[in-house]
Amino acid sequence: MTTLPDQKDAVGFDPVRIGAFGRCLRNPRVLIAGGFLAIIGLLVLLAPWLAPADYRAQIDLPLTNAGVLGTDDFGRDVLSRLIVGVRTSMLVAVLAVLVAGAAGVFLGLVAGFRGGWLSVVIMRGIDILLSFPPIVLAIAAVAILGPELRNVVIVIGILYIPRFTRVVYTQVLSLREAEYVQADRVLGASSTRTMFRTVLPNVTAPIIVQGSLSLSFAVQIEAGLSFLGLGAQPPLPSLGTMVGAGRDFLEVQPSLLIFPAIVIVAIVLALNVVGDGLRDVLDPRRGQS
Amino acid sequence: MRTFLARRAGLALIQLFVVGTIVFLLARLIPGDPARAVLGDNATEDQVAQVRELMNLDAPQWEQYFGFWGNLLRGDLGVSLISGRTVLEDLPVRMGNSLELVLLALALAMAIGIPLGRLAATKANKAIDHIVTGGAILGISLPVFVLGTLLLLVLGVWWPVLPPERFVSFAEDPLTHLRVLLLPVLTLTAASTAVVARMTRSAMLETLSADYVRTARAKGLREKHVVRRHALRAAMLPIVSVSSVELTTLIGSTVLVESIFGWPGMSSLLMNAVTVRDYPVIQAVVLATATIVIVVNLIADITVRALDPRAESV
């Protein structure tokens, strides 16, 4: 006999969806990409212990093949800088997406659930935010606030609020009239409680999909800003600054460009593959037979 | 349709108004004295006072704000704090150069992406579909500045078919201009082609299984005809929408691409202004790009509406 999920589970997280994550991992592409991201996650956590040398220290002459991946123009170990660079880029991207997600989900919930003028103001505000190409506004804002990683996190975070708000808003609109949401109200739950305890858990699937895809964009924007010299400041490496530095030595030491380029592409690709995989199983419109 | 046009144009105006206000506030967000920030710590009080005057910082806030709009409406985008030239002397040419890249890239992306997406959709789950979808996901995972620098390495250094050349305008030397243009346009096109192909594929998969396509097949129409006249045409709506979004992305990406290839567009104007904190120029570039995006979205929304056969009855 199969056991029924208890009441809390049914409201907390739809068990069908936990199964969906398992189904998603059965796709070999998603499994490989997910495994790679797990390794990147470990790298981020253990970077200070994994890096063979201090990323600021000169270990040999400039542009030699010392160490595993050679040395950069200051004679610093490229492998160590790559490991720390991955950590910088990923931390900025994850923090930015958390900022965007928290603010975006909240605004989407309020706009969808409350409706009325509040929803008009929020959704029009979101439209306006969307009328800036993210990188242009990011450059202007970071240039004015100062090229600091904290500012990069805030700016990317704000720029990606609309994606979450829109997704949550449309979902909430369709859920608002659902029977179990109405039932919650009839039972006397406050609207804040209904919003966060009943509606929010049922819109987690699109939020997760949006989160993984936004992470891939955030990695790219951070790297782009750092490439232009507006993100991580020397001596701290990020994947973008390393590509930027590699560009200056194309003829002498192309490996300075190639290694960080491969790592960025691999991370972005893995995030996109996982995002697509999650969407395929979580989005009911996409052939979840 | 008329009420839709009025509402949509009204929204665009509100967007422009808010964008202008944000751009006005940007320069006022600078920590400390903006004039001091421009000049650095070694500037004399006289110099600071001069720049404060140029930026109109001594007037009351509301007066500055109305002055800002008054100037904008008269087409006065301000004066560069560094070169002393009016922004309007440089901006239109730079904007033209940037738009040349963007529009060419978008046209190429649609010309390649739509047929690829259509091919993948009609051969769903066959080898060709896997190649297209795999290539597309790789395409959207290549950040423009990485692809641009790699192309520079491969086609400029290792196999020097397109060695770096100085920018020449089309009027001066059309052939060299096109040669210089090739790498930046290629770089920009890659990701957009991938996005357009993906959208075309998924939109067509949906229309190919729709009832009216089944009806068309049941009528005995030839498959080619069904695909082109029924499935692809109905799938054009999301494709047009995604293309307008892609244009926004491309305008952003040119900033990076221009900086890699030394293309004298809005980007180098913006980046130079950023390094020397030339706030009027930064404001003008942000305002100009946002205006382009708002206008493009307006046109795209109207096009989608005009193409949508259901729109009239709704």
Side-chain angles (χ1 to χ4, degrees):
Chain A
M1 196 185 92
T2 52
T3 49
L4 287 169
D6 64 29
Q7 194 57 35
K8 194 163 173 290
D9 248 347
V11 177
F13 204 86
D14 191 341
V16 178
R17 288 190 185 135
I18 295 172
F21 283 107
R23 247 198 342 273
C24 177
L25 284 178
R26 254 179 259 153
N27 176 344
R29 277 202 295 187
V30 176
L31 190 64
I32 294 170
F36 175 74
L37 288 177
I39 295 173
I40 292 290
L42 277 178
L43 203 71
V44 169
L45 291 176
L46 304 174
W49 295 280
L50 288 175
D54 184 346
Y55 68 90
R56 290 158 299 195
Q58 186 175 2
I59 57 157
D60 203 329
L61 293 172
L63 307 174
T64 61
N65 291 325
V68 183
L69 300 179
T71 59
D72 70 358
D73 48 322
F74 289 99
R76 298 171 299 198
D77 182 36
V78 170
L79 177 62
S80 308
R81 291 185 65 73
L82 203 53
I83 291 172
V84 178
V86 168
R87 187 171 71 148
T88 314
S89 295
M90 290 307 288
L91 282 181
V92 170
V94 168
L95 285 175
V97 170
L98 284 179
V99 169
V105 168
F106 179 74
L107 288 174
L109 272 178
V110 172
F113 200 70
R114 287 281 162 84
W117 62 270
L118 200 57
S119 111
V120 175
V121 171
I122 293 176
M123 296 317 289
R124 285 295 90 88
I126 292 300
D127 283 343
I128 289 159
L129 208 48
L130 278 174
S131 56
F132 288 102
I135 187 99
V136 175
L137 192 60
I139 290 173
V142 172
I144 283 167
L145 296 172
E148 271 175 63
L149 282 181
R150 191 193 50 187
N151 295 338
V152 174
V153 169
I154 296 172
V155 169
I156 301 180
I158 293 176
L159 286 173
Y160 282 89
I161 289 175
R163 301 166 152 260
F164 288 94
T165 306
R166 282 199 156 176
V167 165
V168 172
Y169 176 72
T170 39
Q171 291 281 321
V172 172
L173 278 189
S174 64
L175 280 180
R176 204 166 53 172
E177 307 305 324
E179 273 175 17
Y180 62 88
V181 175
Q182 296 292 341
D184 211 39
R185 283 185 175 167
V186 172
L187 286 173
S190 69
S191 55
T192 319
R193 190 189 155 84
T194 312
M195 207 155 75
F196 287 102
R197 296 296 298 266
T198 312
V199 177
L200 181 60
N202 285 289
V203 295
T204 38
I207 296 174
I208 292 170
V209 172
Q210 196 54 54
S212 67
L213 294 174
S214 297
L215 203 53
S216 125
F217 284 106
V219 169
Q220 297 190 53
I221 294 232
E222 185 282 326
L225 284 174
S226 294
F227 177 80
L228 293 171
L230 293 170
Q233 296 300 308
L236 185 70
S238 104
L239 292 173
T241 47
M242 294 187 74
V243 170
R247 179 178 59 156
D248 299 334
F249 300 95
L250 284 185
E251 290 171 42
V252 204
Q253 190 90 328
S255 65
L256 278 187
L257 163 68
I258 294 170
F259 292 126
I262 291 175
V263 175
I264 294 188
V265 176
I267 290 176
V268 175
L269 185 64
L271 285 168
N272 284 337
V273 169
V274 170
D276 274 4
L278 282 172
R279 183 166 52 192
D280 285 346
V281 290
L282 291 177
D283 187 344
R285 286 190 310 132
R286 296 211 177 202
Q288 197 192 112
S289 53
Chain B
M1 187 75 183
R2 195 169 291 166
T3 43
F4 168 77
L5 276 180
R7 265 220 327 258
R8 190 58 192 76
L11 174 66
L13 281 179
I14 296 174
Q15 282 181 318
L16 282 173
F17 170 72
V18 176
V19 163
T21 306
I22 292 175
V23 167
F24 169 81
L25 289 174
L26 266 182
R28 272 86 192 159
L29 276 176
I30 306 161
D33 184 351
R36 178 67 68 187
V38 175
L39 294 164
D41 290 335
N42 300 326
T44 64
E45 286 303 316
D46 276 356
Q47 289 169 313
V48 172
Q50 209 182 345
V51 170
R52 283 190 69 86
E53 163 121 39
L54 257 177
M55 288 173 77
N56 194 21
L57 286 173
D58 291 323
Q61 291 284 343
W62 61 270
E63 211 180 299
Q64 291 183 31
Y65 183 64
F66 286 113
F68 169 81
W69 277 109
N71 288 341
L72 268 189
L73 293 177
R74 268 182 279 118
D76 178 0
L77 287 174
V79 178
S80 160
L81 298 176
I82 306 301
S83 67
R85 292 153 61 88
T86 62
V87 176
L88 265 185
E89 273 177 75
D90 294 321
L91 194 63
V93 183
R94 302 300 195 95
M95 212 154 102
N97 286 344
S98 292
L99 284 180
E100 184 185 0
L101 292 186
V102 168
L103 294 178
L104 264 174
L106 185 67
L108 271 175
M110 290 179 80
I112 307 169
I114 294 176
L116 277 181
R118 174 183 148 180
L119 188 67
T122 49
K123 305 262 190 261
N125 287 323
K126 304 247 172 66
I128 185 84
D129 179 29
H130 291 303
I131 294 172
V132 172
T133 44
I137 198 159
L138 184 66
I140 57 168
S141 305
L142 270 169
V144 275
F145 67 96
V146 173
L147 179 62
T149 331
L150 285 176
L151 282 178
L152 210 58
L153 174 67
V154 176
L155 298 178
V157 178
W158 282 350
W159 183 41
V161 277
L162 286 169
E165 276 179 282
R166 212 177 52 81
F167 172 84
V168 194
S169 73
F170 187 79
E172 274 175 72
D173 181 354
L175 264 183
T176 319
H177 180 81
L178 291 178
R179 217 167 38 234
V180 179
L181 183 96
L182 215 52
L183 278 184
V185 168
L186 257 175
T187 310
L188 282 174
T189 306
S192 298
T193 307
V195 173
V196 173
R198 269 161 69 104
M199 190 67 226
T200 308
R201 177 181 178 272
S202 70
M204 277 196 68
L205 280 180
E206 219 158 277
T207 55
L208 277 171
S209 59
D211 286 342
Y212 56 84
V213 169
R214 201 182 313 156
T215 311
R217 284 202 180 114
K219 277 197 306 188
L221 292 179
R222 277 190 304 158
E223 186 61 21
K224 219 171 165 182
H225 189 86
V226 172
V227 169
R228 207 173 48 217
R229 299 296 295 273
H230 295 262
L232 183 61
R233 187 179 261 184
M236 277 320 279
L237 286 178
I239 299 171
V240 171
S241 308
V242 87
S243 303
S244 77
V245 176
E246 230 7 68
L247 199 66
T248 314
T249 314
L250 281 170
I251 290 174
S253 304
T254 46
V255 177
L256 291 157
V257 170
E258 289 173 9
S259 125
I260 295 170
F261 297 103
W263 186 268
M266 304 247 264
S267 152
S268 50
L269 197 64
L270 178 64
M271 287 315 295
N272 289 341
V274 160
T275 30
V276 293
R277 294 175 174 252
D278 193 347
Y279 296 117
V281 177
I282 301 180
Q283 286 181 312
V285 174
V286 174
L287 199 60
T289 40
T291 308
I292 295 174
V293 171
I294 290 172
V295 172
V296 164
N297 284 332
L298 177 67
I299 296 171
D301 278 4
I302 295 172
T303 316
V304 167
R305 181 79 176 197
L307 280 177
D308 192 346
R310 287 164 302 185
E312 285 303 322
S313 56
V314 176

